């Protein structure tokens, strides 16, 4: 059997805390806010820290980074920027992300946009 190709990465998982509540209260506003945060904060920070978005579903993101330090710095700076963006919003409309980081080997399956943990 052929040896599987692997690499060491840090994977950050993120989702919006209280997303169902936010959607129930204002679906269009919540989607607009999430898209704005992605375009103006999250996606530029992913690029800055050499990350690669490997999956999304609704409010969740799965991002691969070449190092745990890059993933951690992305998380800290992204959380700081999102907190600043929330200051002008009423507390019930603020969007907060939960983020977790796991470092380990992934198996490459040959496709450019996927890795399997």
């Amino acid at each position: 059997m052929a040896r599987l190709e692997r690499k060491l990465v840090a994977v950050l998982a993120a989702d919006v805390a209280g997303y169902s509540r936010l959607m129930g209260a204002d679906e269009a506003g919540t989607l607009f806010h999430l898209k704005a945060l992605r375009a103006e904060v999250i996606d530029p920070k992913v690029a800055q820290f050499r990350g690669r978005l490997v999956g999304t579903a609704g409010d969740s993101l799965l991002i691969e980074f070449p190092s745990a330090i890059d993933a951690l710095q992305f998380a800290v700076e992204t959380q700081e920027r999102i907190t600043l963006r929330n200051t002008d919003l009423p507390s019930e409309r603020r969007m907060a992300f939960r983020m977790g980081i796991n470092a380990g080997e992934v198996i490459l399956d040959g496709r450019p946009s996927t890795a399997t943990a």
Side-chain angles (χ1 to χ4, degrees):
M1 181 196 271
R3 186 165 169 86
L4 297 172
E5 186 178 353
R6 301 169 188 267
K7 69 177 181 176
L8 184 62
V9 297
V11 177
L12 180 138
D15 74 331
V16 177
Y19 187 69
S20 295
R21 176 189 54 78
L22 291 167
M23 288 292 282
D26 180 9
E27 189 175 80
T30 299
L31 288 174
F32 178 82
H33 190 187
L34 179 59
K35 287 180 180 183
L37 286 175
R38 282 281 315 272
E40 298 166 17
V41 177
I42 296 169
D43 293 349
K45 288 290 178 190
V46 169
Q48 178 184 347
F49 291 102
R50 303 176 298 143
R52 184 171 67 94
L53 186 64
V54 295
T56 64
D59 67 320
S60 68
L61 304 168
L62 194 60
I63 308 166
E64 174 188 299
F65 291 91
S67 79
I69 297 298
D70 288 333
L72 182 61
Q73 196 64 39
F74 163 86
V76 168
E77 289 188 21
T78 300
Q79 294 286 30
E80 289 172 347
R81 295 271 314 271
I82 290 171
T83 298
L84 286 175
R85 301 253 330 220
N86 278 330
T87 57
D88 294 335
L89 295 174
S91 60
E92 68 274 2
R93 292 195 45 227
R94 292 178 181 170
M95 192 169 285
F97 279 79
R98 297 178 288 215
M99 296 184 183
I101 300 168
N102 184 43
E105 285 189 344
V106 294
I107 298 171
L108 305 178
D109 69 1
R111 292 180 288 182
S113 64
T114 61
T116 305

